Structure formats: C-alpha cells, structure tokens
Amino acid sequence: MTSISEDIDLNNDASLVIDIPDALCERDKVKFTVHTKTTLSSFQKPEYSVQRQHEDFIWLHDTIVETEEYAGLIIPPAPPKPDFEGPREKMHKLGEGESSMTKEEYAKMKQELEKTVQVHEVFLQRLSSHPMFRKDRNFQIFLEYDQDLTVRRKNAKEMFGGFFKNMVKSADEVLISGVKEVDEFFEQEKNFLLDYSSKIKDATAKAEKMTRSHKNVADDYNHISGALNNTAADNNTAFKKHLEKCAEVFEKLRKVEDRMASDQELKLTELLRYYTRDIQAAKDLLYRRARALADYENSNKALDKARLKGKDVAQAEENQKQCLQKFDKLSESGKKELTSFKARRVVAFRKNLIEMTELEIKHAKNSVSLLQGSIEILKSN
Amino acid sequence: MAASSERSPPPFPDSEEPELLEDSDEGADAFTGTSISEMDSPSPDSTKPPKDIFNEPLEDIFSDPLSNVNSEPQKKVDTKIPSPSSDEAVDLFSDPLDDDSEVVSSPEVQNPMPDLLNEPVQAPKSDVLGEPPVHKNAARQQDIFEDPPKGSSKSSSVKKAASAELFSDEDEEDLFKELPKVVTKKPQPSGPPVDVFTEVKSDVKVKPQVKDDPTDLFAEEALTAPAPKPSASSSSSRTNGVHSEEHDLFSEATVELSLDSPRNDRKKKDAVKPSVSAPVAPVASSSSKAPSKTLEELEEEESEDTFDLNISVTNPEKVGDGMNAYMAYKVSTQTSLTMFRSKTFTVRRRFSDFLGLYEKLSEKHLQNGYIVPPPPEKSILGMTKVKVGKEDPSSAEFVERRRAALERYLQRVVSHPSLLQDPDVREFLEKEELPRAVSTQALSGAGFLKMLNKATDAVSKMTIKMNEQDVWFDEKIQDVENEEQHMRKLHVMVESLVNHRKELSGNTAVFAKSVAMLGSSEDNTALSRALSQLAEVEDRIEQLHQEQAANDFFTFSELLADYIRLLGAVKGCFDQRMKAWQRWQDAENMLQKKREVEAKLLWANKPDKLQQAKDEIAEWEAKVTQYEREFERISATVRKEVIRFDKEKARDFKRQIIKYLESLLNSQQQLIKYWEAFLPEAKAIA
C-alpha cells in the first residue's frame, strides 16, 4: 500500500521518517497512529507515536495554507475524508469486529481503510521531505504532542466561509487566466495546468467508473460461482461434477479478476486521483502568485496616484516595493516548485504504469494457467 | 413391422449365443427367480414396474428364450412371453386361490387402486394391466420366431412383418393362440394351477358379461393354460368379441408393433418407409424399447447415435416491408442419412414456420410423454424493431440471437431419435414450400385459444393431487423443479455478468478516450507517448470485453435460457403423465359407481336394467384397463426421455462450459499480449 509514497521518493532522508503503522476505527471516526523517528535536534525525543484523526490532518493542512511564508510552495494536498462507500454504520461494525459482517465486506473495508491510511501517510511524508515544511512549527506539534490535539471542528459558518472562499477563488481563477502574464514560464505553466487539471479530473472519473464496473464483473463471477454450487448441491447426476468444477473455476477467476480490478484502482486510479489533487495544489500556487502580481500592479497604480497627488508617496513606494518583493519571491520559488513537481509527476506515472502493467500481466497469466488447467480437467472426465 | 425382426437383435445379442444349449429348465428357474424377487419386493413391483420388469427379465428371459428357440420351438414360445406370463404364472401358483378368487370373482379388487399397487397379492392384476406393452412385444416375438425350424428367424419374421403391419385381428389371434402354448409349459409341473385356471374359466362363464374385458386380458394368459387348444380358441374368439369395444386398446397395441421400425431404421441407417409408421413411432419406441432395455443398454444406444446430420440456420433476411415484414432464414442440412432425398439441401423458413413445426410436434408427441424441444419465444418488441428497419446494433443483436437460438432448436429436434423420424421434421428440412403456419401468430384466434388451453391446463394441474407411487418420479419431479429454480437464478446472474461486462467495455472505451486526451495535454514527450499508447491498449481491451460479453451471452446465458425452456418441456411431460393418471383414476371411480349401480339393481331385483349395467361395467373396465396401460406407457416413456435428457444436458453443458472457458482463456491471452507490448512504452518514460 505504499505505492505513492515510494514513487514520490519520500522518506529518503533518514533524519525525519514518518509512517502510520496502524489505524483504529472508533465509533464514527478513524484514529491514525502517527509514528515518527527523527535525528533532528528540533525534536526533543528521537521517536514519537501519537494518535491523530482525519480532522487533525485537515487542521495541519489549513494552517500551512494560511501561512504567508509558504505562498510560493506547492502545498501538499490534504488527504480526502475517509469514505467507506457505505453508511457510517459499517464503520461501527469494522470497529466492533468481523462477526457482524461478511468476510468479503470486511476485506473490502480493510482495503478501503488501508487506502485511507496511505493517503494520510503520504501527506505527512510530503511535508517531512520538504526542506521548508519539515521545519514548520505546527507540523512539529502535530507529530510531537502526545495528547489529543482537540482541534476545533469547523463550525457551520466557517464551513460556509470556506465554501465562499472557494467560490471567490474560482472566480478569481477566471480573472487570473485573463491577466496578461509577463513571464513566459508561468504563462505556459498556467495554460498547461488549467488544461491538464480538467483532463486528469475527467480521466480519474472515467478510471473510477471503469474499475467499479470491473469489480462488478468480479462480483458477478462470485455470484455465478455460488449459483453453480447451489445447482450442484441439488443434483445427483454426472452433471454435478461439471457444475462443481465450473463453480470452482468461477470462484478462482473472481479472485484474479478482483485483484486485477483493485490493482488497477491502486496503481492507476489512485495515481490519477492523487495528481488531480496535486495539480490543484499547483494551481493554487499559481493563483497566489497571480494574486501577488495583481497586488503589485495595484500598488503600482497606487504609487502613480500618490505621486500625482503628492501625498503618501513614501508609504506607497514602500508598499509597492514590498509587493514586488513578494511577487518576485513567489515567482522564484514557484518556478522551482513547479519544475520539481513536473519531474515528480513523470517519475510517479512511470513507476505506477510499469507496476500496473506488470500486475496486469501477472494476473492474466494466472487466469490463463487456471483456465487451461480447468479446461483440461473438464475435458478429461 | 419389417423392423420388428431387426428389433430383436438388441435383446438377443450374439454374445449370448453360448447359452444356446442351456437347459430349458433354467429358463423356468429364471422365471421363478424373477417372480420371487418381485414377490419379495412388492412395492417396487407396483410402483416401479419398468425397472423390475425390464431389468431382470430382460436378461434372463430374453436371452434364454433364444436358446430355446433354436433347440425347441415349443419351449421358446413358452419363455417368450416373459414378464407377464412369468409374473402372472408364479403369482397365481404361489397363491392360486387368493389370486383367482380376487381376480375373477371379487370386483373390489379392481377398484381401489392404491391397494392394488401396494399389495403383492394383487400383483397379477397390476402386472397384467401394467405390462401390456411387454406382453405384446413378447407376443410379437413369438410371431417372429414362430417358424424358426423352417429357416432363419430373420427371413421368416420379415414375411410375418408384412401381415403384422396391417394389425388385423388375425394378428391378435395369432398372438393369443400362441400364448396358450407358452403357458402350458409352466402350469404342467404343478397341479393347483390347473384348478386355478379352470376355476377362472368357470367363473368367467358364470358372469361372462361382467368380466368380459378384463378376462380378456387374463384369458390370454391364464385361461388358456390348462387346455391349450380349445381354450385358446375360446380366448381368441373372446378377444375378437371384445375387440370391437376395445378397439382403441388393440389399435394401440398394434401401433406398438409397428413402432419399432423407425427406430431400427435409424440405427441401421436403412431407408424404410417411415412415412407409414413414423407418426406413431414415438409410442412404439418408447413403450417397447424402454421396457425391454436396461439402463446400460440405453447408454450404449446413446453413444451409438452419433448420427450424421448437420443443420445450420444462416442468412437471416428481412422479407417485405412495414409491419408485414418478416425474417427468413436459410436452413441448410447436410447428412448422409438415407432417409433424406439428398445429401445437402437448403430451404428458406420464417420464424413462424419454426413455431409451426413445434406446434405440430408437440401436438403429436407431447401426449406420449416426449420432451419436444421448445423453440425460442416470440418477441414482439424485438421483431418490431427489426420491422421498423432501424439498422441499430440492438436489432442486429436480436436477429443474431434468434438465428442462433433457432439453429440450436433444430439441432435439438433432430438429435431426438424419434422426432427425427417425424415426417413433419423432414418436410420442414426438405420441402421447398411449407403451408403457412397461422396458429403461431401471437395475436391470432388460435393463439388465444392456446392461451386459454394453457390456462385451463394450469388450473387442472393445480387441482390434480396425484398420489405419487413411483419413487423415481417423485424424486425426479422435485429435482427438475429445483433445477429449474437454480437455473433461473443462475441465468439472472449470468445476465448481470453480461450487462456488467458490457458496461465495463463501455467504460473502458470512455477511459481510453480520456487517457488519450490526457496524453495530448501532457508536456513530457515520453509520458505523453506512453499515455496515448495506454489509450490504445485500453481501446483493444474494450474490444476484448465486448467480445467476451458476446461469449458470456451466446455461450453461457443462452445455454441457460435454453435449458430453462427445456426444463419447462420436461415438466410438461410430467404433467402429461399426471393427466394420464388422472384419466385412469377417473375411470376407476366411474367403474366403482357402475358397480354400485349394479349391486343396487341386483338387490332391487331389476333384471331388465341389470343387463345394461353389466354392459356399462364391462365398458368401464375396459377403459380402466386401457387408461392404466396408457399411464404405464407414458410413465415409461417419460422416464426414458428424462434419462436421455439428463444425459444430453450433461453433455451439452460440458461442451458449452469448455467452450466458454476457452473464450475466457483466449481473452486473457490477448490481454497478456497487449500489456506485454505496452510494458516497454511505460519503461521508456523518462
């Protein structure tokens, strides 16, 4: 389950190693055990193990986003809220034990949980591997504090505020795309990211649909196997053997097909999902830079006005200077971030595509030998 | 009847020749042996007549007689009448007084059927009633071997055949005339039987009117025993007298005789004129074959009939326009069977012709307990689409689906040995022009009548409470019911698989497009290339899923749909058997009533009406006998048919499942190829 963390080549620095070895489903929430090993002097102990909830991750993400200092960085996307396909009650069941749910349901839940753990882990690892974020105060608190963080849940107003902010942002985005870009690099990046973002979003949705229907096929195999077994149970003729054999084949095929579907999901869909979010983070960076550019332009205008009126010129000059500085700083770090982002993306795609292809081949080969064997057995008797 | 001579080989295989010289006494032992076993196990005897009778006597009796035939014509006759006479004789002898008194004098015996079936003592009655086919067979064999000394049994039988085919009364007489000889052998050793029989006779004489029909049956075997010649003639004359009344009974018996011919023809691939005997063929082969064959023999027979007949339905073609348009199909036959005029021929048939064929076949054969393969259902919706003439994929799929279903339907029809002999089948395959089948139209008057009939059938089916005495049937009916349920569920699952696979195919296609777009947006050249390659791979996989969905459907789902329909046909056969049983029970009840009337009349001393009552009793006794016979016959046929069906089904499923798994195998192999071709592309990303 570490596919993404591996391909992003996180945790390559032994001075700060983070993982989530365990997650607990308690009532309606998931508690992640965040395990940290470090040699950094800023930490008081070399090893920590704390319990964090999804909301704590969101809090960490939000505080980082709000930190002015990080405006020029691609902020690692927040992990999505755990979604267990079914209603909340199912999570209860998972917490309370396997007895109340079928083995199959449990396996599915477990798979989902592992995926959730993975994305939360990747978020922390992205932070820890970044030279700036790893020094973040809040991040350190998140890793160190051995009590419940009891971060305040967002209240309805704030939720609405966040929603409103997003609306403004996307309206601004339209605005930005209209802003005349002076830097060719950012002009290109902007066009690329806007286009790529919509494409990858679409591809993610389509891949999700595809893997879902693939799972349906696997489920059908399972049902057919069951129905064949039932038919065989009531049969006493030579027919019985065929039915049983056939049921067995379908049962095995289901496993292979299921693996095929979930590996596709893991290697392809999950990759696309992650980069959909990551690209959004990159777009956010562009947005912040565009905002800074607009501020700088406004400060220019203000300075012109001040000069015209001969009033508050020094203050306007100072303001203009600051805006330019901020903009230049953003542009500089943004360029670096976007370049490394591109390299990271290509590496991740390469790795995942190779892995997926190898798994597809492996599964198909399993099916082939399974089918060949079964056909032979059927033919011989 | 020409065939009847050829029919004999199976029961008298050459391999049994060594036994030729065996003592004739052994034959007699064999009979006592079989009969004892029957006595020991009374309930199977009554409930499963075909098994007991045909398993044991077949080997013992039929093989021995042969030896007798060659060595001593007289004796052979004796042993020839195997099961009825043996059962009858032994039963009678073992318990002569009881039996006889019951058989002849006490009328109650014939009324309560359950009793009869349960009590061994009454075996003679049920045996006699239940085994007429065998009896006739045996008798016919006598015919065949009548003059063995004169020459080879074959040639003589061929001669006989001609006359037998006519089924004249003389034939009947022949039959019974010989019986006396047959039976004489046995009674001789023991004294009491003679008494028994004379008693019977005297009884009969006392109440000749009452006993008329039933005695006819007994007379054939029992009455004649003590005094061969005279009683034989008397019995034959009696049969003659009865004959007019019992016309049905005997005509059916004769049918049986002729029945064999088509079957043997088929086996030997001889061109006979089946047109004469074909219509009745089913009855014949079922009644005479089923009884006289053990299961193993049936099995052998099955494996034998890898007949050379290939039928294909191709080239669906729309004829006409608008709502009068219909689809015509090319029905091509390829065969080396000499019953057909040429080796290859092709006709054009429309869907309603296929339905018409089914109607004709089921009308003729269903009542005899034959599993008539049902054709695909009419689909007004599907056909309307085709008629409207939109060239959309769903209507193309509909046409292909129907074409394949019709092909399978015809193949099933001709693989049924008896249906193949039906002139309508041959006409359907060979004849240029068929009269238009009108009754098959969904909205026609005939269609409405059919629906009505089906409805009343369903009602009567619910009202008939059959007290199933036959364990085999009891279990089988339940099995078929369960199997149908399971198949339906399975079918739903497979349908869902088909749909999900189609969905997967569609979603894969959409994803492929989306990935191609993503690839075109990608600014890293190698990744862009890899993504568009991935799109191509997904496109091919989409194709693969689509093909597999077609295989899911045509190889797996349609197989189940076919067998759900076929299991319905099997249930139809069970219903036919139940109806026959009901008819028999009704006749029994009626007979009981008539007897009560007679008793009342006797008591009231009204001799004028007594005669009429007696006539009526006689009439109903004949009917009871006849219906019981029919019931036994249909039971035997259905049983044989179901065994055949099961075998066919197992074979069919195995073949289709292998075919289906091979299709899955093929798509997985393709998958490997596609992904292996993609792997270097993925690795080339840098």
Side-chain angles (χ1 to χ4, degrees):
Chain A
M1 293 306 281
T2 52
S3 61
I4 286 173
S5 58
E6 278 167 27
D7 48 59
I8 302 167
D9 262 342
L10 304 168
N11 269 349
N12 52 356
D13 181 1
S15 61
L16 181 59
V17 180
I18 301 171
D19 66 331
I20 302 179
D22 196 15
L24 254 172
C25 281
E26 238 175 48
R27 306 202 45 177
D28 62 340
K29 55 198 164 209
V30 185
K31 282 191 172 170
F32 302 94
T33 306
V34 178
H35 179 241
T36 311
K37 255 176 115 171
T38 183
T39 56
L40 294 180
S41 56
S42 54
F43 289 89
Q44 286 172 350
K45 284 196 285 178
E47 207 166 337
Y48 295 96
S49 192
V50 293
Q51 292 230 323
R52 295 289 174 259
Q53 292 180 30
H54 171 71
E55 283 73 14
D56 302 332
F57 286 79
I58 298 301
W59 165 80
L60 180 60
H61 178 259
D62 287 350
T63 57
I64 289 173
V65 166
E66 281 157 21
T67 309
E68 190 67 25
E69 214 186 317
Y70 304 140
L73 304 177
I74 296 176
I75 294 157
K81 201 169 164 60
D83 174 25
F84 285 86
E85 274 180 79
R88 288 266 132 188
E89 291 90 74
K90 272 202 169 178
M91 295 240 305
H92 285 242
K93 287 189 198 164
L94 194 64
E96 282 155 19
E98 297 116 76
S99 56
S100 52
M101 62 201 311
T102 67
K103 219 174 142 191
E104 219 173 294
E105 274 177 318
Y106 181 72
K108 260 185 191 163
M109 289 289 295
K110 212 179 148 201
Q111 205 184 10
E112 277 299 311
L113 186 62
E114 278 173 2
K115 228 164 61 192
T116 304
V117 167
Q118 195 207 352
V119 286
H120 285 78
E121 197 177 62
V122 166
F123 172 68
L124 297 180
Q125 287 169 349
R126 282 272 309 267
L127 292 177
S128 72
S129 65
H130 197 281
M132 297 282 282
F133 295 133
R134 74 189 311 178
K135 290 178 203 144
D136 183 76
R137 185 75 206 116
N138 287 323
F139 182 42
Q140 212 161 321
I141 290 170
F142 180 93
L143 296 175
E144 276 186 323
Y145 189 58
D146 63 350
Q147 302 295 306
D148 198 341
L149 273 182
T150 57
V151 291
R152 200 166 48 85
R153 300 285 111 85
K154 281 182 177 173
N155 60 36
K157 199 179 154 200
E158 277 171 322
M159 292 280 272
F160 182 75
F163 175 71
F164 185 70
K165 221 168 85 187
N166 277 336
M167 288 287 286
V168 173
K169 203 166 84 179
S170 42
D172 271 359
E173 236 170 81
V174 179
L175 228 129
I176 307 162
S177 53
V179 171
K180 207 177 154 264
E181 182 59 70
V182 283
D183 190 321
E184 206 186 317
F185 174 83
F186 282 103
E187 174 67 19
Q188 258 182 18
E189 271 310 301
K190 187 184 76 187
N191 290 337
F192 167 72
L193 285 176
L194 284 178
D195 181 36
Y196 203 79
S197 155
S198 70
K199 297 283 165 59
I200 201 169
K201 229 182 250 171
D202 183 63
T204 308
K206 302 294 157 61
E208 274 169 4
K209 258 183 143 177
M210 182 174 73
T211 41
R212 208 177 307 135
S213 44
H214 206 147
K215 287 203 168 168
N216 283 339
V217 168
D219 283 350
D220 286 332
Y221 280 171
N222 191 35
H223 295 146
I224 289 169
S225 172
L228 281 167
N229 267 328
N230 286 341
T231 314
D234 273 0
N235 203 300
N236 303 312
T237 57
F239 197 34
K240 190 188 183 88
K241 268 190 301 183
H242 301 160
L243 291 171
E244 278 169 348
K245 182 70 207 158
C246 199
E248 191 192 315
V249 174
F250 271 103
E251 170 59 26
K252 285 180 182 161
L253 276 180
R254 178 193 76 91
K255 278 186 190 139
V256 180
E257 208 73 27
D258 215 36
R259 289 309 303 267
M260 230 180 214
S262 49
D263 284 341
Q264 213 170 48
E265 159 117 51
L266 216 63
K267 296 291 168 191
L268 189 64
T269 317
E270 220 20 54
L271 173 83
L272 292 171
R273 248 184 231 144
Y274 189 78
Y275 276 93
T276 304
R277 291 201 307 272
D278 216 5
I279 277 173
Q280 186 57 47
K283 265 167 67 190
D284 286 348
L285 167 63
L286 282 188
Y287 160 72
R288 289 190 297 268
R289 185 185 157 274
R291 198 71 259 179
L293 177 59
D295 286 350
Y296 169 59
E297 275 169 1
N298 286 339
S299 70
N300 266 345
K301 277 177 203 157
L303 181 59
D304 286 349
K305 232 188 219 167
R307 276 183 183 150
L308 212 64
K309 285 182 182 169
K311 219 165 74 184
D312 296 334
V313 175
Q315 198 191 340
E317 261 177 357
E318 181 59 26
N319 189 28
Q320 189 246 18
K321 208 177 124 196
Q322 269 182 10
C323 282
L324 181 62
Q325 254 179 10
K326 189 184 165 195
F327 175 68
D328 281 346
K329 197 183 148 209
L330 269 178
S331 295
E332 197 198 341
S333 72
K335 213 175 259 186
K336 250 200 284 179
E337 283 278 307
L338 287 171
T339 311
S340 81
F341 165 73
K342 189 167 295 186
R344 198 171 66 219
R345 179 165 47 85
V346 171
V347 169
F349 267 80
R350 178 177 193 271
K351 188 168 191 300
N352 272 30
L353 284 179
I354 289 172
E355 280 175 0
M356 182 188 75
T357 306
E358 281 169 346
L359 284 169
E360 289 276 350
I361 293 169
K362 190 185 110 190
H363 293 322
K365 280 185 174 164
N366 278 344
S367 295
V368 164
S369 67
L370 165 66
L371 285 165
Q372 273 170 341
S374 310
I375 289 168
E376 224 134 86
I377 290 171
L378 273 174
K379 272 182 177 166
S380 68
N381 64 36
Chain B
M1 192 58 186
S4 67
S5 64
E6 287 156 8
R7 198 207 153 279
S8 41
F12 307 97
D14 289 346
S15 58
E16 308 240 1
E17 291 279 317
E19 285 177 40
L20 276 178
L21 299 176
E22 264 178 61
D23 219 317
S24 58
D25 285 0
E26 273 204 33
D29 281 356
F31 297 138
T32 48
T34 55
S35 52
I36 282 164
S37 72
E38 280 177 348
M39 295 287 285
D40 287 349
S41 53
S43 56
D45 172 27
S46 51
T47 50
K48 307 200 265 177
K51 202 172 186 182
D52 278 53
I53 293 164
F54 306 133
N55 276 349
E56 299 176 35
L58 174 73
E59 275 161 54
D60 297 348
I61 295 160
F62 280 92
S63 57
D64 287 333
L66 218 210
S67 60
N68 290 338
V69 170
N70 290 355
S71 53
E72 237 186 306
Q74 288 283 2
K75 268 184 204 158
K76 128 235 142 193
V77 175
D78 143 21
T79 37
K80 210 46 78 34
I81 330 171
S83 28
S85 62
S86 62
D87 296 340
E88 192 34 25
V90 178
D91 285 339
L92 285 175
F93 304 146
S94 56
D95 232 338
L97 285 173
D98 256 19
D99 281 357
D100 272 36
S101 59
E102 276 187 77
V103 168
V104 186
S105 51
S106 69
E108 302 98 79
V109 181
Q110 277 119 342
N111 304 335
M113 222 26 238
D115 286 2
L116 280 176
L117 293 174
N118 288 332
E119 286 173 46
V121 188
Q122 282 138 343
K125 207 254 172 180
S126 58
D127 280 349
V128 170
L129 293 177
E131 292 156 24
V134 177
H135 172 89
K136 297 283 180 218
N137 278 346
R140 183 177 37 70
Q141 275 153 12
Q142 277 173 245
D143 279 357
I144 296 161
F145 294 106
E146 197 186 30
D147 347 272
K150 282 184 211 157
S152 79
S153 59
K154 278 217 170 164
S155 63
S156 71
S157 62
V158 173
K159 267 188 252 157
K160 269 272 152 188
S163 65
E165 233 169 348
L166 298 171
F167 306 124
S168 58
D169 289 359
E170 302 145 45
D171 200 32
E172 220 69 56
E173 268 175 84
D174 259 7
L175 241 154
F176 301 129
K177 251 184 229 159
E178 271 142 22
L179 278 161
K181 290 183 212 154
V182 175
V183 187
T184 34
K185 262 264 141 183
K186 280 204 203 134
Q188 256 147 21
S190 59
V194 181
D195 283 349
V196 172
F197 289 123
T198 46
E199 233 181 80
V200 173
K201 233 165 85 190
S202 61
D203 268 350
V204 171
K205 272 175 197 159
V206 174
K207 299 195 262 170
Q209 313 288 6
V210 185
K211 281 281 123 187
D212 211 356
D213 309 25
T215 42
D216 159 41
L217 278 173
F218 297 117
E220 282 162 52
E221 291 140 53
L223 276 180
T224 50
K229 285 285 158 180
S231 67
S233 61
S234 77
S235 73
S236 64
S237 65
R238 192 166 301 150
T239 46
N240 282 343
V242 171
H243 205 146
S244 52
E245 287 177 47
E246 287 219 291
H247 195 79
D248 273 357
L249 202 152
F250 291 115
S251 62
E252 267 162 50
T254 53
V255 165
E256 281 164 20
L257 294 178
S258 69
L259 286 176
D260 292 342
S261 51
R263 249 194 114 98
N264 289 317
D265 296 344
R266 185 182 57 77
K267 265 208 210 151
K268 299 232 155 190
K269 303 202 172 143
D270 261 349
V272 209
K273 295 109 226 155
S275 51
V276 183
S277 48
V280 284
V283 186
S285 44
S286 67
S287 54
S288 56
K289 278 241 152 164
S292 58
K293 294 218 168 219
T294 60
L295 290 184
E296 295 95 282
E297 266 174 303
L298 274 173
E299 220 155 312
E300 278 167 36
E301 186 197 33
E302 290 285 340
S303 55
E304 261 171 49
D305 64 29
T306 48
F307 56 90
D308 175 31
L309 184 60
N310 286 316
I311 293 187
S312 58
V313 176
T314 52
N315 295 28
E317 222 175 64
K318 201 168 115 176
V319 179
D321 281 308
M323 282 322 278
N324 289 324
Y326 61 89
M327 296 299 295
Y329 303 83
K330 210 166 108 181
V331 179
S332 314
T333 313
Q334 214 184 7
T335 180
S336 61
L337 296 187
T338 46
M339 59 182 274
F340 293 101
R341 267 179 242 130
S342 50
K343 290 205 181 308
T344 56
F345 39 91
T346 299
V347 289
R348 285 203 80 77
R349 295 284 178 256
R350 53 185 293 181
F351 182 62
S352 55
D353 294 334
F354 288 83
L355 295 186
L357 175 64
Y358 171 72
E359 292 297 329
K360 284 182 203 159
L361 291 178
S362 60
E363 206 172 293
K364 272 185 274 185
H365 302 295
L366 187 60
Q367 60 191 359
N368 296 317
Y370 276 71
I371 299 172
V372 181
E377 280 106 5
K378 273 190 100 75
S379 164
I380 292 172
L381 182 73
M383 200 48 209
T384 309
K385 262 192 191 164
V386 174
K387 279 174 179 170
V388 170
K390 284 273 181 320
E391 287 294 323
D392 73 359
S394 78
S395 88
E397 197 185 288
F398 168 77
V399 169
E400 168 56 19
R401 177 185 179 179
R402 174 163 279 180
R403 183 208 63 74
L406 289 174
E407 190 173 273
R408 291 193 305 272
Y409 160 66
L410 279 188
Q411 282 163 351
R412 288 209 171 89
V413 169
V414 299
S415 71
H416 192 294
S418 307
L419 294 183
L420 177 62
Q421 301 301 327
D422 191 289
D424 281 324
V425 172
R426 267 178 310 140
E427 196 173 69
F428 182 89
L429 295 176
E430 275 186 325
K431 207 174 167 193
E432 258 328 303
E433 291 289 321
L434 272 188
R436 179 103 162 73
V438 279
S439 60
T440 59
Q441 276 162 314
L443 302 172
S444 69
F448 179 71
L449 273 180
K450 246 188 290 170
M451 268 168 58
L452 210 67
N453 278 339
K454 270 185 193 154
T456 48
D457 263 14
V459 171
S460 69
K461 213 175 98 185
M462 287 195 313
T463 51
I464 297 178
K465 281 274 171 287
M466 183 168 177
N467 181 13
E468 186 60 72
Q469 298 288 331
D470 189 324
V471 181
W472 188 87
F473 273 105
D474 202 25
E475 281 175 6
K476 207 72 207 175
I477 288 168
Q478 198 49 49
D479 284 354
V480 167
E481 194 66 48
N482 289 342
E483 186 158 287
E484 199 197 4
Q485 293 301 319
H486 289 313
M487 287 257 185
R488 277 184 197 285
K489 276 183 201 147
L490 188 57
H491 187 238
V492 169
M493 301 297 175
V494 177
E495 289 278 273
S496 140
L497 172 67
V498 173
N499 289 332
H500 281 142
R501 182 112 57 195
K502 278 184 186 165
E503 215 177 279
L504 174 59
S505 166
N507 288 339
T508 308
V510 171
F511 175 68
K513 274 200 196 78
S514 189
V515 166
M517 297 294 285
L518 185 66
S520 71
S521 293
E522 175 60 57
D523 58 358
N524 179 296
T525 326
L527 181 53
S528 167
R529 194 185 133 79
L531 286 176
S532 56
Q533 292 290 329
L534 176 64
E536 261 176 51
V537 170
E538 295 290 353
D539 257 335
R540 287 199 199 106
I541 291 175
E542 177 241 338
Q543 207 56 39
L544 220 52
H545 287 321
Q546 208 172 317
E547 282 160 25
Q548 190 54 51
N551 281 320
D552 292 340
F553 182 74
F554 282 109
T555 319
F556 201 1
S557 174
E558 283 289 85
L559 172 77
L560 295 170
D562 277 5
Y563 272 93
I564 289 168
R565 271 204 302 273
L566 280 164
L567 285 171
V570 173
K571 282 183 3 187
C573 288
F574 289 145
D575 292 347
Q576 289 296 327
R577 176 175 167 271
M578 194 162 72
K579 271 197 217 158
W581 180 83
Q582 186 61 35
R583 202 167 43 173
W584 170 33
Q585 296 308 300
D586 289 346
E588 289 275 8
N589 289 338
M590 189 54 93
L591 179 59
Q592 176 70 24
K593 273 182 203 146
K594 298 288 175 202
R595 289 219 170 97
E596 279 162 13
V597 169
E598 186 206 26
K600 274 181 198 152
L601 288 174
L602 267 176
W603 192 72
N605 203 11
K606 287 185 181 163
D608 47 333
K609 285 185 184 166
L610 199 58
Q611 185 55 43
Q612 195 201 340
K614 282 186 172 164
D615 285 349
E616 275 177 5
I617 287 174
E619 184 193 330
W620 280 100
E621 275 172 344
K623 277 187 181 160
V624 166
T625 313
Q626 180 199 338
Y627 292 156
E628 189 182 356
R629 244 188 225 205
E630 279 168 10
F631 172 68
E632 296 296 343
R633 191 169 50 213
I634 198 172
S635 296
T637 308
V638 170
R639 194 180 157 122
K640 182 172 161 277
E641 281 284 284
V642 170
I643 289 169
R644 197 187 95 90
F645 171 79
D646 277 345
K647 212 164 278 162
E648 200 100 317
K649 183 180 66 187
R651 203 162 36 185
D652 223 11
F653 263 79
K654 187 176 159 182
R655 198 175 47 222
Q656 290 295 98
I657 283 172
I658 288 174
K659 197 173 153 201
Y660 178 69
L661 294 181
E662 278 170 346
S663 76
L664 284 174
L665 177 65
N666 183 48
S667 24
Q668 295 294 329
Q669 280 166 336
Q670 289 295 319
L671 212 55
I672 294 173
K673 254 171 55 188
Y674 296 157
W675 285 118
E676 276 178 347
F678 177 71
L679 194 55
E681 295 289 342
K683 284 182 173 162
I685 301 170

